[in-house]
Amino acid sequence: MPHEIFLAAVVPEPDVNKARALLGGFTEMRERHQFTRIHHYQPQDPTIKGFPAIKELQKERRPNTPQWQELHQILLRQPSILQVRIGITEEVQNAQTGSEPTATIPADTPRVLRWTELPDPPSQRIPPFITQRKIVEISDQRVERILADNKFRLKSDLIDESYHWWLNDIEYDLTRTFVVSLKADPATSQQVPSLASIEPATDFWLLFVRSRVESTPERMQQIQTQLAQVREQLLGVFDFKVLDRRCHDSRLQEQRRQGLA
């Protein structure tokens, strides 16, 4: 199971263009502007654990069947909130230009189901400004149907706007979030609204500097060292925070329904 290892910093809205210019110069590459629809799902009944219909998925013997089985075993131990991530850059751009103001996400658009573990606890081996957590991602265009068959329901509907750069196996991701109101009709979750009609959830952006690696001590140590070097290089420009790991907790609990995922 791979690990996601990252730094995080807050970028105020008035500073975002400066941050984009700086990151473009730092990485020596053009930014990639993207929009992603993010649906959060949780079990309809908190007593449900794992995927009740896992045997049907196992019978299909698809390339991603082992990943579904792995996630099933995780959710048996700890029910969690899951993300479904869908790239909608073209649809948002069409909605913004007015050419397709009521664009719908095509059924064949790739879907990625994402689960993240509670970040690893503080350790003398990990610098306090670095967060690392286990992650499972499953690419499957049937993901909404599979979740419905396994008694998961849609909990929240978001759109992320983000800018991306890459350098030496490190991704630089500057992102902000829009909250889409949930409607009674599930079909509306496949419609792409114009962002001009929605306010951003915050007046700041988040910068993530991250990498995804196989969970071997050698590779994880290598990325930790690289991220520490990046932090030193950008010292005084971005303030990479020491995060409370609980803000990234996606587990379901009786008294706390959702953390940041």
Side-chain angles (χ1 to χ4, degrees):
M1 186 185 304
H3 262 76
E4 180 182 58
I5 307 177
F6 62 92
L7 309 172
V10 173
V11 178
E13 173 65 33
D15 296 337
V16 70
N17 287 335
K18 292 180 181 178
R20 288 167 54 193
L22 188 147
L23 290 167
F26 183 76
T27 60
E28 298 185 342
M29 74 168 294
R30 294 182 62 181
E31 65 191 20
R32 181 178 297 176
H33 191 196
Q34 297 178 342
F35 293 90
T36 306
R37 194 70 173 264
I38 301 175
H39 292 151
H40 289 93
Y41 285 84
Q42 69 178 37
Q44 297 175 14
D45 182 340
T47 63
I48 295 175
K49 294 185 178 181
F51 294 126
I54 187 62
K55 290 184 179 179
E56 296 303 316
L57 291 173
Q58 292 170 336
K59 289 178 183 177
E60 297 175 354
R61 298 185 180 276
R62 291 173 178 255
N64 59 19
T65 297
Q67 293 174 288
W68 283 110
Q69 175 64 32
E70 178 182 39
L71 184 55
H72 168 68
Q73 293 298 326
I74 291 169
L75 298 179
L76 285 176
R77 299 190 300 270
Q78 178 59 68
S80 301
I81 293 170
L82 304 175
Q83 289 186 36
V84 175
R85 304 177 68 87
I86 310 170
I88 57 167
T89 301
E90 182 177 348
E91 289 77 14
V92 168
Q93 291 173 343
N94 290 340
Q96 288 176 331
T97 61
S99 59
E100 294 183 34
T102 57
T104 299
I105 302 173
D108 60 353
T109 301
R111 270 90 164 144
V112 175
L113 181 70
R114 189 179 198 214
W115 168 87
T116 55
E117 177 67 281
L118 178 69
D120 294 347
S123 167
Q124 293 183 348
R125 297 179 290 104
I126 307 172
F129 49 82
I130 288 179
T131 301
Q132 59 184 42
R133 58 187 178 181
K134 295 177 182 176
I135 184 170
V136 173
E137 289 191 332
I138 306 174
S139 180
D140 198 320
Q141 290 177 211
R142 310 165 301 152
V143 65
E144 289 101 343
R145 178 179 64 78
I146 291 173
L147 290 177
D149 290 346
N150 285 277
K151 310 303 182 185
F152 276 73
R153 65 178 179 87
L154 182 63
K155 177 177 175 60
S156 65
D157 188 357
L158 312 173
I159 294 177
D160 269 8
E161 178 182 12
S162 55
Y163 295 90
H164 300 258
W165 304 260
W166 288 265
L167 178 66
N168 298 329
D169 296 327
I170 302 292
E171 178 187 15
Y172 299 78
D173 174 3
L174 188 61
T175 185
R176 66 173 174 176
T177 299
F178 297 82
V179 179
V180 182
S181 297
L182 284 176
K183 303 290 198 258
D185 182 2
T188 60
S189 66
Q190 300 302 316
Q191 296 176 354
V192 180
S194 170
L195 295 190
S197 64
I198 309 174
E199 291 292 328
T202 64
D203 60 356
F204 58 83
W205 296 61
L206 290 173
L207 172 62
F208 294 99
V209 180
R210 62 188 171 204
S211 185
R212 192 165 304 159
V213 299
E214 290 304 315
S215 300
T216 64
E218 296 80 7
R219 186 64 176 133
M220 292 173 67
Q221 178 61 58
Q222 179 185 359
I223 292 300
Q224 291 170 10
T225 300
Q226 285 183 247
L227 290 178
Q229 292 172 346
V230 169
R231 178 176 178 270
E232 286 297 317
Q233 291 172 306
L234 297 177
L235 197 64
V237 180
F238 298 110
D239 180 15
F240 293 105
K241 302 291 186 181
V242 177
L243 301 177
D244 184 335
R245 62 198 285 262
R246 292 172 296 180
C247 75
H248 291 285
D249 191 352
S250 65
R251 299 172 301 172
L252 286 181
Q253 297 179 3
E254 284 297 321
Q255 301 301 321
R256 185 198 51 76
R257 287 300 183 189
Q258 181 178 353
L260 293 179

